[in-house]
Amino acid sequence: MIEAFHIEALAHISPAWPVIIGGLIAAIIPNFTLRKALALAVPVMALVLWFNPAAPGTYGIIEFGGFTLETFRYDPLSRIWGLVFIIAAFINAIYGLHEKDRLADTMGMIYAGAGLGAVFAGDLLTLFFFWELTAISSVFLIWGSRNNAAYKAGLRYLAIHILSGVLLLAGAVIRASETGSWAFDETLSIETTGGFLIFLAFGIKCAFPLLHNWLQDAYPKATITGAVVLSAFTTKLAVYALARGYAGTDILIYIGAVMTAFPVFFAVVENDLRKVLAYSLNNQLGFMVVGVGVGTELALNGAAAHAFVHIIYKALLFMSMGAVLLRVGTVKASELGGLFKSMPATAVFCLIGAASISAFPLFSGFVAKALTLAAVAQEGHVIVWFVLIFASAGVLEHSGIKIPYFAFFAHDRGLRVREAPANMLIAMFLAAALCLWFGIFYGNLYEMLPFPEAALYYEPYTFDHIVGQMQLLLGAMFAFTLLVRFGLYPEEKRSENVDSDWVYRRFGDGALRWIWAMMDRLTAAIGNVINAVGRKLGGRMFQAFSPIGALSRDIPSGLLAIWTSALLAIVLLIAYLAP
C-alpha cells in the first residue's frame, strides 16, 4: 500500500517548485499579460528560495512509498548551477515577452523548473523524475515551429532523451540492488554496471562524440525563443551531473578534448548560423568535460565557472540570431550581410557575445576558460592542453568572427529591416552586461565557485596570460582575414552538411524500411491464410447448420433409433464401469 506523503521540512522548498507550478498555471491562463507577468515572477520567487537556506544541507525531504526523496540539496556545487539557471530563466522570460504562444510559455517554465529540480536533486530517483521532465517539456519548444522538419527533429530528440532517462533509471536500480543506496554523489563509478549506465545517460545529454547529433539536429529547428531556452539547460545539467558523480574520471579528459576539437571543422563549413552555434556549444561543453575529468579543485572551479558564463554568452548569441531570424526570416549566412546598418544594437550585442565566447580579456569567457587551461597544465596533460588551445582558436573563428561577420557585415545584400523588438533588446542588454561584469569583476564569479579558496588564489589577468591569449586571438583573426581576402575561406553555400548521424540515419532508415516491408508482407500472408481457413471453415459450417444443411434434413426414423440405442449403450457402459 502506498504510503501517504510525509514532508519533513516545509521551511526549505526547492526553487524548482514555483517555476514548475507557474508553468502549470500558465497552461490555464488565457490572458496574455498575466501569463507573461507570471513568467517574470517565478524566477524571482525561485531566487528568494535560493537565498533561503542558512547553510549547506539537504532540505525538502519527502518520504513516499518506502523511498526518501531529497528534493533540495543545497551545497556549493548545486548553488552556482541553480543561480545561473534562475538568471537564464528570467532573461529568457524577457526575451519571449513578444511571443503569444501559451504552449511555449507553459513548457518554457516547466523546462526551466525541471532543470532546477535536477540540479538540486539529492538522490537518483528525484534526479530521474526531473531528468525525464526536462526531455518531455523541452521537445515542445522544437515542435513549436510547427513544420514537418521540426516535428521529425522533435521525435528524434525525444527518443534519444527518453533513452537517456531509461539508462539512468536502469543504472540507478542496478546500483541500488548492489549497494542499497540511491545516493547521487561522488560514489558513482564507471567500473560498475549501474555506474556505467548512468554515465552513458549523462553522456547522451552532454552530447558526447557520436552521441551529439541530436543537438545540431534539434536546436536550429526550434522556435526563435525555444532555441535560446534550450541552449541554457539540458547540456549544462549534464555537465553538472558529471561533476557531481564522476569528477576525476580520467576518460572524461579525452572525451572532452575530442568534443572541443571536432565541432570546429563542421562549424567552419556550416551555412545555418544557429547550427554553427549548436556546434560551438559542443565545443564549449568539451572544455567543461575536460575540467570535470581532471577533477582537481581548480579544474572543477573551471568547469563550474565556464558553465556559468557560457549559459549567458551562448544565450546572447542565440538571442542575436533569433532577432535576425525574426526580422529577416533566415539565418543562412549565404543570404545575410550588412544588417549592422538596420540592426546596430543587435550587432553590438552579438559582438559582445562573440568576444565573450572567444575569451577576449575583460569578457567573461577569459576569466572562466583560464581556470580550466591552468588546471590542465598543472596536471601535466600537455597534448590535451594543445588541443584546447587549438579549439580556442577555432571557437574564435566560427563563433567569434563568422557569426557576426556573415550576419551583420559581409556582403551587404541591401537588407533593411527594423531593429529587434524592445523586449529582445532588453534581454540581450542584460546578458551582455553580465558578460562584461564577470569579465571585469571576476571576483564576484570566483567567490561563488565550489572551491572559492582555490579560485581566489588564481589571478587571470597576468601579463603572460593576457599576452599569450591576445597572440592566439590576433593570430586567428589574421588567418581569417587572409583566407577571406584571397578567397580561400570556405564559401557560404546553400547546402546541408553531413554529420556522423548520416550513417545510422541512412542505414537505420533503410533497415527499418526493410523490416517494415517484411512485416507488412508477413502480415498480409498470415491474413491470407486466416481468410482462406475462415472461408473453408465457414463453408463447412454453412453446409452443416444452414436451413438446407445436413443437420436440417429429415432423418429416417430407423437410423435415428439406431443412433439413440448406440448412445444409450455407451452411457450405460460408462455408468457400469464407473467406481
Side-chain angles (χ1 to χ4, degrees), residues 9-17 46-62 69-75 78-79 82 86 116-123 126 130 240 244:
L10 294 174
H12 301 290
I13 302 172
S14 170
W17 296 122
L47 185 63
V48 172
L49 294 175
W50 180 85
F51 276 112
N52 191 30
T58 301
Y59 308 99
I61 297 177
I62 300 175
L69 306 180
E70 302 173 1
T71 64
F72 189 16
R73 175 174 52 194
Y74 187 80
D75 64 11
S78 62
R79 184 174 183 267
I86 292 169
L116 279 168
V119 162
F120 288 116
D123 64 276
T126 305
F130 289 114
Y240 166 82
R244 172 70 67 184

Side-chain angles (χ1 to χ4, degrees), residues 335-401:
E335 301 172 25
L336 296 176
L339 283 175
F340 78 94
K341 295 179 180 179
S342 52
M343 301 181 73
T346 302
V348 170
F349 293 138
C350 182
L351 287 170
I352 293 174
S356 298
I357 196 172
S358 302
F360 272 89
L362 302 181
F363 293 87
S364 57
F366 179 81
V367 301
K369 191 179 292 183
L371 294 169
T372 301
L373 290 172
V376 170
Q378 284 182 8
E379 296 304 306
H381 299 287
V382 178
I383 295 177
V384 173
W385 187 85
F386 277 111
V387 172
L388 298 186
I389 292 298
F390 163 78
S392 297
V395 76
L396 167 67
E397 189 284 325
H398 59 68
S399 288
I401 299 176

Side-chain angles (χ1 to χ4, degrees), residues 1-5 64-66:
M1 183 176 179
I2 298 177
E3 297 177 9
F5 283 105
F64 177 68

